[in-house]
Amino acid sequence: MVAEGATSSLYLLAEERRGEFDGWRADRALAEIRRGLERKGSVAVHGYHAADGDVEALADAIETPSLFGARTFLIVRGVESLDERGQERLTPALERQAPQVTLAIVARGADMRRRFFVRCRELATRVPVDHHGRPRCVDLPTHSRVSGAVRWPRTRASFCSNASDAT
């Protein structure tokens, strides 16, 4: 997920393929980033959802260093739901990001044609959080109703309900 020892101040956690966002992978990547920051000392963690919050306050949080000199980890979700004007306000904040602030932008549907995401792509360490395909049904065991023992199917066709998966 995140390269061990990576030190960046801006991360973009987004899907590489449209419609394949995996929230669990995003949460794991955020935990890795946080652990990396905590190895260097204390860190204050703040989470924002851009659709629910004030864009001006979010931009100020990105640009303003902590008064106590502590490292701040801002996790911003839902930026893709902002209108063009809101994203335009956040774009200059990325360029004026305070040095004590580490920013992680988690985007479920990042439109890389929009100016905000183009700028993120240029400045940020990109962390792909795609779902790597659905689990194959052949990998799932069944349980015997009589003995409770795990029984593996002999063929995929005997286990899968979808005939197209049977090959």
Side-chain angles (χ1 to χ4, degrees):
M1 294 216 179
V2 180
E4 197 65 35
T7 55
S8 177
S9 60
L10 177 60
Y11 294 90
L12 176 62
L13 288 76
E15 60 192 7
E16 297 289 320
R17 296 178 312 268
R18 188 174 176 88
E20 296 290 328
F21 182 85
D22 187 350
W24 182 78
R25 285 185 168 287
D27 290 340
R28 280 192 53 195
L30 290 170
E32 284 183 40
I33 295 167
R34 182 178 180 171
R35 278 192 299 273
L37 292 171
E38 287 174 341
R39 278 188 220 114
K40 299 175 185 174
S42 64
V43 61
V45 180
H46 300 285
Y48 292 91
H49 197 285
D52 298 334
D54 179 19
V55 175
E56 290 296 322
L58 178 56
D60 288 342
I62 294 169
E63 297 172 354
T64 308
S66 170
L67 294 175
F68 303 106
R71 189 104 184 121
T72 305
F73 182 33
L74 294 177
I75 301 169
V76 182
R77 298 177 189 268
V79 178
E80 70 277 4
S81 64
L82 289 176
D83 61 0
E84 191 69 34
R85 186 173 162 199
Q87 288 186 4
E88 288 296 321
R89 172 59 185 105
L90 290 179
T91 302
L94 296 176
E95 297 165 0
R96 295 191 300 261
Q97 182 178 346
Q100 297 93 345
V101 174
T102 298
L103 176 63
I105 297 171
V106 183
R108 180 172 291 276
D111 183 356
M112 293 300 174
R113 297 171 295 181
R114 292 184 126 185
R115 185 171 173 249
F116 174 79
F117 288 111
V118 168
R119 195 64 184 137
C120 282
R121 189 173 50 208
E122 294 168 356
L123 297 174
T125 299
R126 291 181 69 182
V127 181
V129 289
D130 294 309
H131 179 67
H132 290 294
R134 61 190 174 103
R136 294 175 38 187
C137 61
V138 75
D139 298 334
L140 303 174
T142 59
H143 294 274
S144 170
R145 290 185 184 167
V146 177
S147 68
V150 174
R151 178 178 60 86
W152 292 89
R154 291 188 179 172
T155 65
R156 285 185 77 184
S158 67
F159 186 67
C160 295
S161 60
N162 188 352
S164 65
D165 282 346
T167 56

